[in-house]
Amino acid sequence: DIQLTQSPSFLSASVGDRVTITCRASQGVGRWLAWYQQKPGKAPSLLIHTASTLQSGVPSRFSGSGSGTDFTLTISSLQPEDCGTYYCQQFDGFPTFGQGTKLEIQ
Amino acid sequence: QVQLVESGGGVVQPGRSLRLSCAASGFTFSDYGMFWVRQAPGKGLEWVTLIWYDGSNKYYADSVKGRFTISRDNSKNMLFLQIHGLRGDDTAVYYCARALANSGNWLGLDLWGQGTLVTVSA
């Protein structure tokens, strides 16, 4: 199975900060990678698919990049409602998720 | 209203069986592949199984293979997950999710249900 490793596991940042979360795959997954946000007690919500395509309705401050084994989710200007846990997921083999990155607003 | 609604969770003894259901509405269910994803308490997301739009192909995570069976009834807009031989490490919130796809490739899970909690306990 393809393993996804996210870093950092925990992140604390301030409103207005530029935030970057990385996702590294144990083998190349092309661009078949998605990012999700999950709020406590809620289902995940799709932010980005195919590495960099913004899902409809997602604010433009979210962006994704990368291909192969290294991917990045960037929030250009952090907002209070962006707190939560972020997951990457690959679809090149059997689908797998990263372990998650918990984002806290200072 | 476009939504997925899971049901069937509860407290179950180890070794018993359970069937989870997911009711789809507001979209053409038969056009979409569907996934089950679970999340143990305080843990991350784990893909469990997926089924193609027409039910012709099904795939399972190694952790559930042989014990879990995914199925769907497109005439009733329903997705199911049959679980046998429940174990403590099956305790989790189970989500059904709709899959975006393009030319045979999965892209992402764009619609999720609210989840149903399965607790395996004696």
Side-chain angles (χ1 to χ4, degrees):
Chain A
D1 289 358
I2 298 173
Q3 310 299 319
L4 296 179
T5 303
Q6 292 182 228
S7 60
S9 295
F10 179 82
L11 178 59
S12 182
S14 300
V15 172
D17 282 354
R18 182 180 181 89
V19 168
T20 298
I21 299 169
T22 65
C23 178
R24 176 161 289 176
S26 59
Q27 63 189 75
V29 298
R31 292 180 59 81
W32 307 119
L33 189 111
W35 289 96
Y36 303 87
Q37 177 194 64
Q38 186 178 34
K39 303 275 190 165
K42 300 294 186 183
S45 175
L46 179 64
L47 297 173
I48 285 167
H49 66 78
T50 331
S52 60
T53 302
L54 197 66
Q55 175 67 359
S56 176
V58 174
S60 59
R61 64 181 180 273
F62 290 91
S63 64
S65 65
S67 66
T69 60
D70 293 300
F71 299 86
T72 298
L73 173 70
T74 299
I75 308 173
S76 60
S77 179
L78 194 64
Q79 299 301 303
E81 62 267 30
D82 297 337
C83 63
T85 302
Y86 292 80
Y87 295 92
C88 56
Q89 182 188 25
Q90 66 80 22
F91 291 95
D92 189 64
F94 284 142
T96 50
F97 287 93
Q99 83 280 10
T101 295
K102 187 172 183 179
L103 173 58
E104 173 189 273
I105 311 298
Q106 289 178 349
Chain B
Q1 185 178 1
V2 177
Q3 64 178 0
L4 298 168
V5 179
E6 299 96 336
S7 60
V11 181
V12 187
Q13 293 178 328
R16 303 298 290 265
S17 299
L18 198 64
R19 188 174 87 153
L20 306 182
S21 300
C22 170
S25 59
F27 65 98
T28 305
F29 179 67
S30 58
D31 283 349
Y32 291 89
M34 296 295 296
F35 283 49
W36 286 98
V37 174
R38 68 182 179 182
Q39 187 169 35
K43 302 297 184 182
L45 302 170
E46 179 188 15
W47 168 71
V48 173
T49 180
L50 69 90
I51 186 168
W52 283 25
Y53 69 100
D54 59 356
S56 60
N57 288 284
K58 308 170 186 180
Y59 300 95
Y60 299 91
D62 287 344
S63 58
V64 307
K65 201 173 296 182
R67 297 189 302 120
F68 286 30
T69 302
I70 189 172
S71 62
R72 65 190 297 160
D73 184 341
N74 284 347
S75 68
K76 297 181 179 177
N77 295 334
M78 294 291 296
L79 177 72
F80 303 102
L81 183 64
Q82 180 70 51
I83 307 174
H84 295 293
L86 276 156
R87 311 184 309 214
D89 60 358
D90 295 321
T91 294
V93 173
Y94 286 74
Y95 296 101
C96 62
R98 184 179 77 177
L100 287 176
N102 189 355
S103 300
N105 293 104
W106 306 114
L107 304 182
L109 304 178
D110 73 329
L111 179 67
W112 295 65
Q114 85 286 354
T116 186
L117 176 61
V118 174
T119 303
V120 182
S121 174

